[in-house]
Amino acid sequence: MYENTFPNKRFKHTLEFLRKHISTSETILDLGVVNPFSEIMSQQGYTVENTKGEDLDIDTSTIDNSSADVVTAFEIFEHLLSPFTVLKSIKADKLVASVPLKLWFSSAYRSKTDMLDRHYHEFEDWQFDWLLEKAGWKIVDRQKWTNPTKKIGIRPMLRLFTPRYYIVYAERV
């Protein structure tokens, strides 16, 4: 999944944000298959259940049947054709979600080998806020951070100060 790299900065910021808003006594439904970050959440004392790899645009049954207190969605919504449907189907009252932000100097991500590893949406922060609000969520806290690379060039230089990730804590209205 990470091709011998590990997004340490993203995971550090995400875990700090999660700890700020979610107690380890609350159960979590993490959208997406078991992954390195869901394992980190478990190691940190969270009780985490993941979706099973079903196409959430078509099948929201795991979400519909979940009794989790919190739903987390880390870099998931950009892959969906209809994140609105998924957001509306969540029964939990708390949501922690992050998305990569649209970068004006870079085209949308598209894996040539994995059909599921493509971005249908690349959000600006206001677009993601609007989506959440329209789906019945009130944003309580938000944060952005950059993702610099160790490469040389114009894009890597722009990544030093252009926010790449956006995370929100929202509650059901």
Side-chain angles (χ1 to χ4, degrees):
M1 176 187 221
Y2 291 107
E3 294 87 33
N4 299 319
T5 63
F6 205 67
N8 292 317
K9 182 178 181 180
R10 178 167 52 98
F11 284 5
K12 177 182 174 282
H13 282 288
T14 303
L15 185 58
E16 287 171 0
F17 193 84
L18 184 69
R19 283 182 181 147
K20 180 178 176 183
H21 297 287
I22 307 302
S23 162
T24 54
S25 65
E26 297 175 281
T27 57
I28 295 174
L29 172 64
D30 184 39
L31 302 186
V33 297
V34 174
N35 59 77
F37 193 73
S38 60
E39 292 173 357
I40 288 170
M41 288 191 293
S42 293
Q43 291 165 3
Q44 295 295 313
Y46 290 98
T47 303
V48 181
E49 173 193 358
N50 285 81
T51 53
K52 309 296 183 248
E54 64 271 34
D55 184 340
L56 295 175
D57 279 316
I58 297 167
D59 179 5
T60 60
S61 61
T62 302
I63 299 167
D64 296 335
N65 297 321
S66 174
S67 60
D69 301 309
V70 180
V71 169
T72 57
F74 303 119
E75 287 78 54
I76 293 295
F77 291 125
E78 67 275 9
H79 298 277
L80 299 176
L81 298 179
S82 184
F84 179 81
T85 305
V86 171
L87 287 163
K88 287 294 283 184
S89 70
I90 295 171
K91 306 278 186 292
D93 290 329
K94 296 179 179 182
L95 172 71
V96 180
S98 62
V99 292
L101 291 169
K102 178 177 173 46
L103 298 173
W104 55 270
F105 54 85
S106 183
S107 57
Y109 175 73
R110 180 177 151 204
S111 170
K112 303 230 187 279
T113 57
D114 184 351
M115 290 287 293
L116 299 176
D117 192 19
R118 295 178 177 183
H119 291 184
Y120 186 79
H121 301 278
E122 290 209 341
F123 298 96
E124 292 183 37
D125 56 356
W126 71 266
Q127 292 171 308
F128 193 56
D129 291 354
W130 187 25
L131 171 66
L132 291 168
E133 289 165 12
K134 192 163 185 169
W137 295 93
K138 179 183 179 209
I139 298 170
V140 176
D141 192 13
R142 58 180 57 112
Q143 191 177 66
K144 295 181 199 175
W145 64 87
T146 60
N147 190 45
T149 65
K150 292 181 176 145
K151 297 179 181 175
I152 297 173
I154 300 282
R155 284 184 184 185
M157 184 179 74
L158 291 170
R159 288 181 193 275
L160 289 172
F161 56 86
T162 305
R164 178 61 175 144
Y165 293 102
Y166 182 51
I167 192 167
V168 301
Y169 166 63
E171 294 178 351
R172 177 72 67 196
V173 178

